[in-house]
Amino acid sequence: MKATGQGMQYNVLIVDDSKLARMVIMSALRRIRPDWKAIEATSAKEAIGAVESKDVQIALIDFNMPGTDGLELVARIRKTDPGMPIAVVSANLQDEIIARARELNAAFVGKPLTDEALAAFLSGAVLRLKKATT
Amino acid sequence: MNLEGTASLTEAEQDALAEIANMGVSRAATSLRQMLGEQVVLAVPAARIVTRETAARLVARDNKSALVAVEQSFEGPFSGKALLIFPEAQSLELVRTIVGEEHSIEDVIDLEQEALAETGNIILNACLATIANVLRRTMTVSLPTVIRGTGDTLFGASSETPEENMVLFLYIDFRAKSRDIKGFIALLLDLPSITAMKSIVNDYIDSVDPASVGTSG
């Protein structure tokens, strides 16, 4: 995390088993927050490694992944990082998925991803991070 | 021509097709959840180019019993068919869950065909419309038909020439979380459509800023 003329720059962890899905999220992130850095992970295991070893402030996590799913991953991250702004990204809009994301203090962003939905989540994330440091 | 396996889909195409199918089927699961009143759990999808026989075999492997399917054909830049498939033994239970437990089994039997067709129509349209929107293409979807039989019957495995026999097969299992209802959604594209689909998928991959990949993290 770095301070710049326009405000803070954050590192965003993007977790999705699909390369295409990561491309979609990264290009939206680049349009919305061109100065921020994206860190890719293709599985829950890689994501946990990135959270533990890297400077990650925000996470965008796919739900339907082989092995550990996105909500299980959020639960794991919450054990060590209860306040990190996290969004679960999925086309699966079932009430239970959205409710479980909320229980884990995570936002829900629908797929196909729109810039508007991602921008709204990122703005909220910035506010939460600023609040946490003041 | 040997297209068996995934030889003619690049890794990027396979990944993109699986992701696009996942978005479609996740929306479809959302519709099914509303109809069943209960959470629907999805498997992770896979996209493969196989013969119709292999597709039928993949389905038969997990489903020993007779099957009932709602089939809808779609046409557009690529055409094919989408199927919502259940073990036949479960179709009455499924219909009863959807129409409500207060209906007698006789009423449910009368309704079964129509309710299956309507269920399939909602679920398959949710899936196909999402795929069409993601790819920014227009598809027309036929009315649903209900078919009963084995994997071979459903996928029209027959003595066609080998080229005509190759299909792009997308297959995703689902099950209701606490009821004994399971099934799967399958999409089949025939060979001429595979070429069109590959080109559309590659346009889509190109439309996502390629410079944003692999340059960070």
Side-chain angles (χ1 to χ4, degrees), chain A:
Chain A
M1 157 167 57
K2 291 189 288 200
T4 67
Q6 277 116 45
M8 300 300 279
Q9 277 181 353
Y10 294 106
N11 297 340
V12 182
L13 177 65
I14 295 167
V15 190
D16 203 306
D17 57 312
S18 163
K19 184 179 175 183
L20 177 78
R22 296 195 304 277
M23 285 164 70
V24 169
I25 296 173
M26 283 200 288
S27 53
L29 180 66
R30 184 162 288 193
R31 284 190 294 273
I32 300 163
R33 305 277 179 172
D35 298 335
W36 291 15
K37 189 180 163 196
I39 296 163
E40 288 178 75
T42 63
S43 65
K45 199 177 160 197
E46 270 186 45
I48 290 163
V51 169
E52 281 169 357
S53 64
K54 288 182 189 160
D55 193 14
V56 171
Q57 289 83 42
I58 296 170
L60 296 163
I61 299 175
D62 177 37
F63 169 62
N64 195 10
M65 293 189 288
T68 308
D69 73 34
L71 286 166
E72 289 162 356
L73 173 61
V74 177
R76 295 264 284 277
I77 294 173
R78 282 288 175 248
K79 285 183 188 166
T80 53
D81 203 328
M84 180 192 288
I86 299 177
V88 172
V89 186
S90 178
N92 193 332
L93 308 175
Q94 293 183 73
D95 297 347
E96 288 82 358
I97 311 279
I98 297 172
R100 278 176 64 202
R102 291 221 176 99
E103 275 166 30
L104 291 164
N105 191 21
F108 187 93
V109 177
K111 272 186 189 178
L113 185 75
T114 62
D115 285 9
E116 292 72 26
L118 183 61
F121 164 70
L122 294 175
S123 301
V126 169
L127 288 175
R128 274 175 70 172
L129 290 166
K130 274 186 185 156
K131 221 169 136 189
T133 53
T134 52

Side-chain angles (χ1 to χ4, degrees), chain B residues 51 74 176:
Chain B
T51 61
F74 53 88

Side-chain angles (χ1 to χ4, degrees), chain B residues 169-183:
Chain B
F169 184 56
L170 293 152
Y171 172 104
I172 306 181
D173 290 294
F174 62 85
R175 60 182 173 82
K177 194 152 193 189
S178 53
R179 273 175 194 272
D180 185 25
I181 292 173
K182 63 184 171 88

Side-chain angles (χ1 to χ4, degrees), chain B residues 53-80:
Chain B
E53 287 77 13
T54 307
R57 221 171 32 243
L58 285 168
V59 169
R61 189 190 58 194
D62 300 330
N63 301 278
K64 303 279 178 233
S65 53
L67 301 169
V68 54
V70 188
E71 179 190 298
Q72 283 180 286
S73 304
F74 53 88
E75 273 178 41
F78 47 85
S79 49

Side-chain angles (χ1 to χ4, degrees), chain B residues 97-169:
Chain B
T97 307
I98 291 169
V99 299
E101 309 271 333
E102 69 275 16
H103 294 273
S104 72
I105 197 79
E106 290 74 26
D107 283 351
V108 172
I109 290 169
D110 286 347
L111 279 171
E112 190 192 4
Q113 198 84 351
E114 200 189 309
L116 277 175
E118 180 55 15
T119 306
N121 188 41
I122 292 169
I123 291 167
L124 295 173
N125 269 299
C127 180
L128 294 172
T130 303
I131 292 173
N133 288 344
V134 169
L135 295 174
R136 298 202 177 85
R137 296 297 194 280
T138 307
M139 280 194 243
T140 54
V141 181
S142 76
L143 289 171
T145 48
V146 176
I147 25 180
R148 289 163 200 271
T150 60
D152 282 348
T153 333
L154 302 188
F155 296 154
S158 67
S159 54
E160 291 165 273
T161 59
E163 282 99 296
E164 285 171 299
N165 242 345
M166 300 307 302
V167 289
L168 171 62
F169 184 56

